[in-house]
Amino acid sequence: MQLRALRYFVTLAREGHFARAAEACGVTQPTLSSALAALEDQLGKRLVERDRRFIGLTGEGRAMLPWAQQLLAAHEGMVHAVEALDGPLHGEFRLGVIPAATPSVGAFAEALLRLHPGMTISVCSQTSREIVRAIESYEIDAGITYLDHESPANVISVPLYAERYVFVTAAAGRRPPPGAVTWGQVEGYPFCLLHQGMQNRRILDTLMSGQGVSVRPRATADGYVALLAMVRSGGLATVMPERYVGLIEGADWASVHPLTMDAAVSRIGVIVGDRAPLDPVANAALGCARSIAGLTGS
């Protein structure tokens, strides 16, 4: 059984489209289809439902998928383990990051590329649930996500920092007095927040509920760039992680206020799958995380 055919199969299951899967694998669609047909002949089972287009996996295909993912991951881990004996690692490092932790990507990428100059890094913005699912299916090598709220299972984690929040509104409009504010002081503002599919929003809802505050946002988005754009132009206000302050520092349109926290803050850290043996690439991610945490004192 060729690893190439298994890779085509796993990619097709992920992409759900023959042309996109072929493009992701760097081959033509006929080449991909031919390899999949040969794989089905070898197994004596139909793996893919098709009628000029991809319909889905058969029952046999769904049963085979996690094993194919494990086989490919084991092969990559074996190559990495042999490679690591000679020095720094090579290849692509795949990192999933929740939007709340995007500002921390710079430090992680710098540490990884400095320690392993032969690697490249591919960063994808994902929800916390998507990160856990992608690690389980071997689609990413590591994630940066929450460690405490809806704690991920079957992972090894290294904390990076504790998340704190700031209130942001337009400097030209209504704004609170300078300095820190409480949840009660900002409750009456028209808000734009992340949508409830994002874990940061669910954490904020829990924090506000604990303070007896109820907020019904006028607008929602899946990223902070959109929220800041609405704050700047739409007369709205938002709450976001303190780490984003550095990205808007010096912006004369923004009025930024630390939020007084009466409840425990949530930790954000790097996670990898808890597997044995541990892939050297996953181990490299944990090493980078420990070096960053050591520098920040987290």
Side-chain angles (χ1 to χ4, degrees):
M1 186 179 296
Q2 293 187 346
L3 289 172
R4 174 177 57 86
L6 289 178
R7 186 169 291 109
Y8 295 169
F9 170 69
V10 169
T11 304
L12 178 61
R14 183 183 71 240
E15 298 293 335
H17 191 277
F18 280 105
R20 289 199 301 268
E23 182 180 3
C25 293
V27 298
T28 65
Q29 187 171 330
T31 297
L32 181 136
S33 296
S34 177
L36 289 174
L39 180 61
E40 290 177 323
D41 288 342
Q42 184 177 3
L43 291 169
K45 300 290 184 181
R46 192 172 184 180
L47 303 174
V48 179
E49 290 284 358
R50 46 166 94 72
D51 181 14
R52 295 187 180 180
R53 61 182 179 84
F54 177 80
I55 298 175
L57 298 182
T58 64
E60 291 82 359
R62 291 191 297 272
M64 177 175 162
L65 180 60
W67 296 100
Q69 292 169 330
Q70 288 185 51
L71 278 170
L72 291 172
H75 175 260
E76 290 180 2
M78 177 184 68
V79 172
H80 292 151
V82 173
E83 182 182 70
L85 295 176
D86 296 326
L89 296 167
H90 295 77
E92 181 184 61
F93 184 94
R94 302 160 300 174
L95 179 69
V97 184
I98 56 172
T102 300
S104 65
V105 168
F108 183 88
E110 189 279 329
L112 179 77
L113 299 180
R114 174 171 44 81
L115 295 172
H116 302 280
M119 297 200 80
T120 60
I121 184 169
S122 173
V123 180
C124 181
S125 178
Q126 297 176 302
T127 67
S128 56
R129 291 169 179 170
E130 288 171 341
I131 287 173
V132 172
R133 181 201 58 78
I135 287 177
E136 290 174 346
S137 59
Y138 303 91
E139 294 175 14
I140 60 175
D141 299 300
I144 301 181
T145 186
Y146 291 105
L147 302 182
D148 302 316
H149 193 268
E150 300 175 14
S151 303
N154 303 317
V155 299
I156 302 172
S157 63
V158 175
L160 293 178
Y161 61 90
E163 185 176 70
R164 293 177 175 80
Y165 303 97
V166 294
F167 172 76
V168 184
T169 189
R174 173 192 171 197
R175 51 179 172 162
V181 295
T182 66
W183 291 101
Q185 286 177 289
V186 302
E187 182 178 10
Y189 282 79
F191 273 92
C192 57
L193 297 171
L194 295 181
H195 63 69
Q196 289 184 317
M198 314 295 288
Q199 191 174 2
N200 175 267
R201 171 64 189 283
R202 298 193 294 274
I203 290 174
L204 287 181
D205 286 348
T206 299
L207 289 172
M208 288 186 287
S209 177
Q211 298 296 310
V213 173
S214 177
V215 170
R216 180 176 296 178
R218 299 286 303 278
T220 60
D222 63 358
Y224 290 103
V225 172
L227 294 182
L228 287 172
M230 287 188 280
V231 169
R232 184 175 185 179
S233 303
L236 302 175
T238 194
V239 173
M240 63 177 45
E242 183 183 47
R243 296 263 164 162
Y244 271 85
V245 173
L247 300 183
I248 59 174
E249 194 170 13
D252 57 6
W253 60 266
S255 178
V256 181
H257 305 261
L259 267 166
T260 301
M261 302 296 297
D262 295 327
V265 293
S266 298
R267 295 177 305 158
I268 283 179
V270 171
I271 64 171
V272 300
D274 186 4
R275 304 181 180 111
L278 191 64
D279 189 309
V281 169
N283 201 37
L286 297 177
C288 291
R290 293 186 185 105
S291 70
I292 297 170
L295 289 174
T296 60
S298 299

